[in-house]
Amino acid sequence: MVNLPSSPGPIGVFDSGYGGLTILHGIRQLLPEYDYLYLGDNARAPYGPRSFDVVYEFTRQAVLRLFEMGCHLVILGCNTASAKALRTIQQNDLPSWDAGRRVLGVIRPTAEVIGTLTSTRHVGVLATEGTIKSESYNLEIQKLWPDIKVSGVACPFWVPLVEYHEADSPGADYFVKKRIDQLMRLDPEIDAVILGCTHYPLLMPKILKYIHPGVRIVPQGEYVADSLQQYLQRHPELEVRCSKHAEVHYLTTENPDTFREQAQVFLHEPVEVENITLGA
């Protein structure tokens, strides 16, 4: 076992970059009384194109750091980390660190509800290359809803559009329309599309502009928040280890000034952030 703090601490939220701020925002809207500690590994982002082994190691470092800083529960607010690292951390690392702590992802909560959001039983996923290649959404949805057909398309330019403040630009129209059209050509019967990257809700005006009539867009924030609320209700022994002062602190592996500027795009409020280092 690793020697970790035992007193109540904040709920950790980890992402490779800034997109997890949309997950944090959704959670805070529903559960404002808890404390939160957000860690963005912005210096090593993006995770999407990286190998499983690299994503696992980076995510492992981040989760352990959040545990060392007092968190008993960590949410991987990152689809790539959830797809490539979550299961290994849960099975291999948690038992040796502290069997009472928990790490949860963002893919399972969306998979749990998608069956109630589709009539045709044909679902699409728009995500990063790493998430699509992992087929994590396909696998999770098939476990819960074996009658649903899942089709996915990678959208490699969508994250840069958000982070370079081009989400509202005319140039974004081309890239958004191209990937939506590609997905609908794969399966014209799709009637629900999961936004499988936490950056993508910031492209919502463009997505709604080009999505085909009758197709529902499914962002993750509210479903992750609902799932977390239910999880804490089912696990009171963990809930009492989550501190409640309605405080939020932010950490980044990059330049704090850059983080503050980007966080404004996602949260529309000023934040204070501290720089930390992960890894060797």
Coordinates of all heavy atoms in Angstrom, one line a residue, residues 51-118:
S51 N 0.1 6.1 -27.7 CA -0.2 4.7 -27.5 C -0.9 4.4 -26.2 O -0.9 5.2 -25.3 CB 1.2 3.9 -27.5 OG 1.9 4.2 -26.4
F52 N -1.4 3.2 -26.1 CA -2.1 2.7 -24.9 C -1.1 2.8 -23.7 O -1.4 3.3 -22.6 CB -2.6 1.3 -25.0 CG -4.0 1.2 -25.6 CD1 -4.2 1.5 -26.9 CD2 -5.1 0.9 -24.8 CE1 -5.5 1.4 -27.5 CE2 -6.3 0.9 -25.3 CZ -6.5 1.1 -26.7
D53 N 0.1 2.4 -23.9 CA 1.1 2.3 -22.8 C 1.4 3.7 -22.3 O 1.5 3.9 -21.1 CB 2.4 1.6 -23.2 CG 2.2 0.1 -23.4 OD1 1.2 -0.4 -22.9 OD2 3.1 -0.5 -24.1
V54 N 1.6 4.6 -23.2 CA 2.0 6.0 -22.8 C 0.8 6.7 -22.1 O 1.0 7.3 -21.0 CB 2.4 6.8 -24.0 CG1 2.5 8.3 -23.7 CG2 3.7 6.3 -24.6
V55 N -0.4 6.5 -22.6 CA -1.6 7.1 -22.0 C -1.8 6.5 -20.6 O -2.1 7.2 -19.6 CB -2.8 6.9 -22.8 CG1 -4.1 7.3 -22.1 CG2 -2.7 7.7 -24.1
Y56 N -1.6 5.2 -20.5 CA -1.7 4.6 -19.2 C -0.7 5.2 -18.2 O -1.1 5.5 -17.0 CB -1.5 3.1 -19.3 CG -1.2 2.4 -18.0 CD1 -2.1 2.4 -16.9 CD2 0.1 1.9 -17.7 CE1 -1.8 1.8 -15.7 CE2 0.4 1.3 -16.5 CZ -0.5 1.3 -15.5 OH -0.2 0.7 -14.3
E57 N 0.5 5.3 -18.6 CA 1.6 5.8 -17.7 C 1.3 7.2 -17.3 O 1.4 7.6 -16.1 CB 3.0 5.6 -18.3 CG 4.1 6.1 -17.4 CD 4.1 5.4 -16.0 OE1 3.7 4.2 -15.9 OE2 4.5 6.0 -15.0
F58 N 1.0 8.1 -18.2 CA 0.7 9.5 -17.9 C -0.5 9.6 -16.9 O -0.5 10.3 -16.0 CB 0.4 10.3 -19.2 CG 1.6 10.5 -20.0 CD1 1.5 11.2 -21.2 CD2 2.9 10.1 -19.6 CE1 2.6 11.5 -22.0 CE2 4.0 10.4 -20.4 CZ 3.8 11.1 -21.6
T59 N -1.6 8.8 -17.2 CA -2.8 8.8 -16.4 C -2.5 8.3 -15.0 O -3.0 8.9 -14.0 CB -3.9 8.0 -17.1 OG1 -4.1 8.5 -18.4 CG2 -5.2 8.2 -16.3
R60 N -1.7 7.2 -15.0 CA -1.4 6.7 -13.7 C -0.6 7.7 -12.8 O -0.9 7.8 -11.6 CB -0.5 5.4 -13.9 CG 0.0 4.7 -12.7 CD 0.9 3.6 -13.0 NE 1.3 2.8 -11.8 CZ 2.3 3.2 -11.0 NH1 3.0 4.4 -11.2 NH2 2.6 2.5 -10.0
Q61 N 0.3 8.4 -13.4 CA 1.0 9.4 -12.6 C 0.1 10.5 -12.1 O 0.2 10.9 -11.0 CB 2.1 10.1 -13.6 CG 3.2 9.2 -14.0 CD 4.1 9.8 -15.1 OE1 3.9 11.0 -15.5 NE2 5.0 9.0 -15.6
A62 N -0.9 10.9 -12.9 CA -1.8 12.0 -12.5 C -2.7 11.5 -11.4 O -3.0 12.2 -10.4 CB -2.6 12.4 -13.7
V63 N -3.3 10.3 -11.5 CA -4.2 9.8 -10.5 C -3.5 9.6 -9.2 O -4.0 10.0 -8.1 CB -4.8 8.4 -11.0 CG1 -5.5 7.8 -9.8 CG2 -5.7 8.7 -12.2
L64 N -2.3 9.1 -9.2 CA -1.5 9.0 -8.0 C -1.2 10.3 -7.3 O -1.3 10.5 -6.1 CB -0.2 8.2 -8.2 CG 0.6 7.9 -7.0 CD1 -0.2 7.1 -6.0 CD2 1.9 7.1 -7.4
R65 N -0.9 11.3 -8.1 CA -0.7 12.6 -7.6 C -1.9 13.2 -6.9 O -1.9 13.8 -5.8 CB -0.2 13.6 -8.7 CG 0.0 15.1 -8.2 CD 1.1 15.2 -7.2 NE 2.3 14.8 -7.7 CZ 3.2 15.7 -8.3 NH1 2.8 17.0 -8.5 NH2 4.3 15.3 -8.8
L66 N -3.1 13.0 -7.5 CA -4.3 13.5 -7.0 C -4.6 12.7 -5.7 O -5.1 13.3 -4.7 CB -5.5 13.3 -7.9 CG -5.5 14.3 -9.1 CD1 -6.5 13.9 -10.2 CD2 -5.8 15.7 -8.6
F67 N -4.3 11.5 -5.6 CA -4.5 10.7 -4.4 C -3.6 11.3 -3.3 O -4.0 11.4 -2.1 CB -4.2 9.2 -4.6 CG -5.3 8.4 -5.3 CD1 -5.0 7.2 -5.8 CD2 -6.6 8.9 -5.3 CE1 -6.0 6.5 -6.4 CE2 -7.6 8.2 -5.9 CZ -7.3 7.0 -6.5
E68 N -2.3 11.5 -3.7 CA -1.3 12.1 -2.7 C -1.8 13.4 -2.2 O -1.4 13.8 -1.1 CB 0.0 12.2 -3.4 CG 0.7 10.8 -3.6 CD 1.9 10.9 -4.5 OE1 2.1 12.0 -5.1 OE2 2.7 9.9 -4.6
M69 N -2.6 14.2 -3.0 CA -3.0 15.5 -2.6 C -4.4 15.4 -1.8 O -5.0 16.5 -1.6 CB -3.1 16.4 -3.8 CG -1.8 16.6 -4.5 SD -1.8 17.8 -5.8 CE -1.9 19.3 -5.0
G70 N -4.8 14.2 -1.5 CA -5.9 14.1 -0.6 C -7.2 13.6 -1.2 O -8.2 13.3 -0.5
C71 N -7.3 13.3 -2.5 CA -8.5 12.8 -3.2 C -8.7 11.4 -2.8 O -7.7 10.6 -2.8 CB -8.4 13.0 -4.7 SG -8.2 14.7 -5.2
H72 N -9.9 11.0 -2.6 CA -10.2 9.6 -2.4 C -11.0 9.0 -3.6 O -11.1 7.8 -3.8 CB -11.1 9.4 -1.2 CG -10.4 9.7 0.1 ND1 -9.8 8.7 0.9 CD2 -10.3 10.9 0.8 CE1 -9.3 9.3 1.9 NE2 -9.5 10.6 1.9
L73 N -11.5 9.9 -4.5 CA -12.2 9.6 -5.7 C -11.7 10.5 -6.8 O -11.6 11.7 -6.6 CB -13.7 9.8 -5.5 CG -14.6 9.7 -6.7 CD1 -14.6 8.3 -7.3 CD2 -16.0 10.2 -6.4
V74 N -11.3 9.9 -7.9 CA -10.9 10.6 -9.1 C -11.7 10.3 -10.3 O -11.9 9.1 -10.6 CB -9.4 10.3 -9.4 CG1 -8.9 11.0 -10.7 CG2 -8.5 10.8 -8.3
I75 N -12.2 11.3 -11.0 CA -12.9 11.1 -12.3 C -12.0 11.4 -13.4 O -11.3 12.5 -13.5 CB -14.1 12.1 -12.4 CG1 -14.9 12.1 -11.1 CG2 -14.9 11.8 -13.6 CD1 -15.6 10.8 -10.8
L76 N -11.8 10.5 -14.3 CA -11.1 10.7 -15.5 C -12.0 11.4 -16.5 O -12.8 10.8 -17.2 CB -10.6 9.4 -16.2 CG -9.7 8.5 -15.3 CD1 -9.2 7.3 -16.1 CD2 -8.5 9.3 -14.7
G77 N -11.9 12.8 -16.5 CA -12.7 13.6 -17.4 C -12.1 13.7 -18.7 O -12.2 14.7 -19.4
C78 N -11.7 12.6 -19.2 CA -11.0 12.5 -20.5 C -11.3 11.2 -21.2 O -11.1 10.1 -20.5 CB -9.5 12.6 -20.3 SG -8.4 12.2 -21.7
N79 N -11.9 11.2 -22.4 CA -12.3 10.0 -23.0 C -11.1 9.1 -23.4 O -11.2 7.9 -23.2 CB -13.1 10.3 -24.3 CG -14.5 10.8 -24.0 OD1 -15.4 10.0 -23.9 ND2 -14.7 12.1 -23.8
T80 N -10.0 9.7 -23.8 CA -8.8 8.9 -24.2 C -8.3 8.1 -23.0 O -8.0 6.9 -23.0 CB -7.8 9.8 -24.8 OG1 -8.3 10.4 -25.9 CG2 -6.6 8.9 -25.3
A81 N -8.1 8.8 -21.8 CA -7.7 8.2 -20.6 C -8.6 7.1 -20.1 O -8.2 6.1 -19.7 CB -7.4 9.2 -19.5
S82 N -9.9 7.4 -20.2 CA -11.0 6.4 -19.8 C -10.9 5.2 -20.7 O -11.0 4.1 -20.3 CB -12.4 7.1 -19.9 OG -12.5 8.1 -19.0
A83 N -10.6 5.4 -22.0 CA -10.5 4.3 -23.0 C -9.3 3.5 -22.8 O -9.3 2.2 -22.9 CB -10.7 4.8 -24.4
K84 N -8.1 4.1 -22.6 CA -6.9 3.5 -22.6 C -6.2 3.1 -21.3 O -5.3 2.4 -21.2 CB -5.9 4.3 -23.4 CG -6.2 4.5 -24.9 CD -5.2 5.3 -25.7 CE -5.4 5.3 -27.2 NZ -4.4 6.0 -27.9
A85 N -6.7 3.7 -20.2 CA -6.0 3.6 -18.9 C -6.9 3.2 -17.8 O -6.4 2.6 -16.8 CB -5.3 4.9 -18.6
L86 N -8.2 3.5 -17.8 CA -9.0 3.3 -16.6 C -9.0 1.9 -16.1 O -8.8 1.6 -14.9 CB -10.5 3.7 -17.0 CG -11.5 3.5 -15.9 CD1 -11.1 4.3 -14.6 CD2 -12.9 3.9 -16.3
R87 N -9.3 0.9 -17.0 CA -9.4 -0.5 -16.5 C -8.1 -1.0 -15.9 O -8.2 -1.7 -14.9 CB -9.8 -1.4 -17.7 CG -10.2 -2.8 -17.3 CD -10.8 -3.6 -18.5 NE -11.9 -2.9 -19.1 CZ -13.2 -3.0 -18.6 NH1 -13.4 -3.8 -17.5 NH2 -14.2 -2.4 -19.2
T88 N -7.0 -0.7 -16.5 CA -5.7 -1.1 -15.9 C -5.4 -0.5 -14.6 O -5.0 -1.2 -13.6 CB -4.6 -0.8 -16.9 OG1 -4.9 -1.3 -18.2 CG2 -3.2 -1.4 -16.4
I89 N -5.7 0.8 -14.4 CA -5.6 1.4 -13.1 C -6.5 0.8 -12.1 O -6.1 0.5 -11.0 CB -5.8 2.9 -13.2 CG1 -4.7 3.6 -14.0 CG2 -6.0 3.6 -11.9 CD1 -4.9 5.0 -14.3
Q90 N -7.7 0.5 -12.4 CA -8.7 -0.1 -11.5 C -8.2 -1.5 -11.1 O -8.3 -1.8 -9.9 CB -10.1 -0.1 -12.1 CG -10.8 1.2 -12.3 CD -12.1 1.1 -13.0 OE1 -12.3 0.2 -13.9 NE2 -13.0 2.0 -12.8
Q91 N -7.8 -2.3 -12.0 CA -7.4 -3.7 -11.7 C -6.0 -3.9 -11.2 O -5.8 -4.7 -10.3 CB -7.6 -4.5 -13.0 CG -9.0 -4.5 -13.5 CD -9.2 -5.3 -14.8 OE1 -8.2 -5.7 -15.5 NE2 -10.4 -5.6 -15.2
N92 N -5.1 -3.1 -11.6 CA -3.7 -3.3 -11.3 C -3.1 -2.4 -10.2 O -2.3 -2.8 -9.4 CB -2.8 -3.2 -12.5 CG -3.0 -4.3 -13.5 OD1 -3.9 -5.1 -13.4 ND2 -2.3 -4.3 -14.6
D93 N -3.5 -1.1 -10.2 CA -2.9 -0.1 -9.4 C -3.7 0.1 -8.1 O -3.0 0.2 -7.0 CB -2.7 1.2 -10.1 CG -1.8 1.0 -11.3 OD1 -0.6 0.6 -11.1 OD2 -2.1 1.4 -12.4
L94 N -5.0 0.2 -8.2 CA -5.8 0.6 -6.9 C -5.5 -0.4 -5.8 O -5.4 0.0 -4.6 CB -7.2 0.7 -7.3 CG -7.7 2.0 -7.9 CD1 -9.2 2.0 -8.2 CD2 -7.3 3.2 -7.0
P95 N -5.5 -1.7 -6.1 CA -5.3 -2.7 -5.0 C -4.0 -2.5 -4.2 O -3.9 -2.7 -3.0 CB -5.3 -4.0 -5.7 CG -6.1 -3.8 -6.9 CD -5.8 -2.5 -7.3
S96 N -2.9 -2.0 -4.9 CA -1.7 -1.8 -4.3 C -1.5 -0.4 -3.7 O -0.7 -0.2 -2.8 CB -0.5 -2.1 -5.3 OG -0.6 -1.1 -6.4
W97 N -2.3 0.6 -4.2 CA -2.3 1.9 -3.7 C -3.1 2.0 -2.4 O -2.6 2.4 -1.4 CB -2.8 2.9 -4.7 CG -1.8 3.2 -5.8 CD1 -0.5 2.9 -5.9 CD2 -2.2 3.8 -7.1 NE1 0.0 3.3 -7.1 CE2 -1.0 3.8 -7.9 CE3 -3.3 4.4 -7.6 CZ2 -0.9 4.4 -9.1 CZ3 -3.3 4.9 -8.9 CH2 -2.1 4.9 -9.6
D98 N -4.4 1.8 -2.6 CA -5.4 1.9 -1.5 C -6.7 1.3 -2.0 O -7.4 2.0 -2.9 CB -5.5 3.3 -1.1 CG -6.5 3.5 0.1 OD1 -7.3 2.6 0.3 OD2 -6.5 4.5 0.8
A99 N -7.1 0.2 -1.6 CA -8.3 -0.5 -2.1 C -9.6 0.3 -1.8 O -10.6 0.0 -2.4 CB -8.4 -1.9 -1.5
G100 N -9.5 1.3 -0.9 CA -10.7 2.1 -0.6 C -10.9 3.2 -1.5 O -12.0 3.9 -1.4
R101 N -9.9 3.6 -2.4 CA -10.1 4.7 -3.3 C -10.6 4.2 -4.6 O -10.6 3.0 -4.9 CB -8.7 5.4 -3.5 CG -8.3 6.0 -2.1 CD -6.9 6.7 -2.2 NE -6.5 6.9 -0.8 CZ -6.4 8.1 -0.2 NH1 -6.7 9.2 -0.9 NH2 -5.9 8.2 1.0
R102 N -11.2 5.2 -5.4 CA -11.8 4.8 -6.6 C -11.4 5.8 -7.7 O -11.2 6.9 -7.5 CB -13.4 4.9 -6.4 CG -13.9 3.8 -5.5 CD -13.8 2.4 -6.1 NE -14.4 1.4 -5.2 CZ -13.6 0.7 -4.4 NH1 -12.3 0.9 -4.3 NH2 -14.2 -0.2 -3.6
V103 N -11.4 5.2 -9.0 CA -11.2 5.9 -10.2 C -12.3 5.6 -11.1 O -12.6 4.4 -11.4 CB -9.8 5.6 -10.8 CG1 -9.6 6.5 -12.1 CG2 -8.7 5.9 -9.9
L104 N -13.0 6.6 -11.6 CA -14.2 6.4 -12.5 C -13.9 7.1 -13.8 O -13.2 8.1 -13.9 CB -15.5 6.9 -11.9 CG -15.8 6.4 -10.5 CD1 -17.1 7.0 -10.0 CD2 -16.0 4.8 -10.6
G105 N -14.5 6.7 -14.9 CA -14.3 7.3 -16.2 C -15.6 8.0 -16.8 O -16.6 8.0 -16.1
V106 N -15.5 8.4 -18.0 CA -16.7 9.2 -18.6 C -17.4 8.4 -19.7 O -18.4 8.8 -20.2 CB -16.2 10.5 -19.2 CG1 -15.8 11.5 -18.1 CG2 -15.1 10.3 -20.2
I107 N -16.9 7.2 -20.0 CA -17.5 6.4 -21.1 C -18.7 5.6 -20.6 O -19.8 5.6 -21.2 CB -16.5 5.5 -21.8 CG1 -15.4 6.4 -22.5 CG2 -17.1 4.5 -22.7 CD1 -14.3 5.6 -23.1
R108 N -18.5 5.0 -19.5 CA -19.6 4.1 -18.9 C -20.9 4.9 -18.7 O -22.0 4.4 -19.0 CB -19.1 3.5 -17.7 CG -20.1 2.6 -16.9 CD -20.2 1.2 -17.5 NE -21.2 0.4 -16.9 CZ -21.3 -0.9 -17.1 NH1 -20.5 -1.6 -17.9 NH2 -22.2 -1.6 -16.4
P109 N -20.8 6.1 -18.0 CA -22.1 6.8 -17.8 C -22.9 7.1 -19.1 O -24.1 7.0 -19.1 CB -21.7 8.1 -17.1 CG -20.4 7.7 -16.4 CD -19.7 6.8 -17.4
T110 N -22.2 7.4 -20.1 CA -22.9 7.7 -21.4 C -23.4 6.4 -22.0 O -24.6 6.4 -22.5 CB -21.9 8.4 -22.4 OG1 -21.2 9.4 -21.7 CG2 -22.7 9.0 -23.5
A111 N -22.6 5.4 -21.9 CA -23.1 4.1 -22.4 C -24.4 3.6 -21.7 O -25.3 3.0 -22.3 CB -22.0 3.0 -22.3
E112 N -24.4 3.9 -20.4 CA -25.6 3.4 -19.6 C -26.9 4.1 -20.0 O -27.9 3.4 -20.0 CB -25.3 3.7 -18.1 CG -24.3 2.8 -17.5 CD -24.0 3.2 -16.0 OE1 -24.3 4.3 -15.6 OE2 -23.4 2.4 -15.3
V113 N -26.8 5.3 -20.5 CA -28.1 6.0 -20.8 C -28.4 6.0 -22.3 O -29.6 6.2 -22.7 CB -28.1 7.5 -20.4 CG1 -27.9 7.6 -18.9 CG2 -27.0 8.3 -21.1
I114 N -27.5 5.6 -23.2 CA -27.7 5.8 -24.6 C -28.9 4.9 -25.1 O -29.6 5.3 -26.0 CB -26.4 5.5 -25.4 CG1 -26.5 6.0 -26.8 CG2 -26.1 4.0 -25.4 CD1 -26.7 7.5 -26.9
G115 N -29.1 3.8 -24.5 CA -30.2 3.0 -24.9 C -31.6 3.6 -24.7 O -32.6 3.2 -25.4
T116 N -31.7 4.6 -23.9 CA -32.9 5.3 -23.6 C -33.1 6.5 -24.6 O -34.1 7.2 -24.6 CB -33.0 5.8 -22.2 OG1 -32.0 6.8 -22.0 CG2 -32.8 4.7 -21.2
L117 N -32.0 6.8 -25.3 CA -32.0 8.0 -26.2 C -32.1 7.7 -27.7 O -32.0 8.6 -28.5 CB -30.7 8.8 -25.9 CG -30.5 9.2 -24.4 CD1 -29.1 9.9 -24.3 CD2 -31.6 10.1 -23.9
T118 N -32.1 6.4 -28.1 CA -32.2 6.1 -29.5 C -33.5 5.2 -29.7 O -33.8 4.3 -29.0 CB -31.0 5.3 -29.9 OG1 -31.2 4.8 -31.2 CG2 -30.6 4.1 -29.0

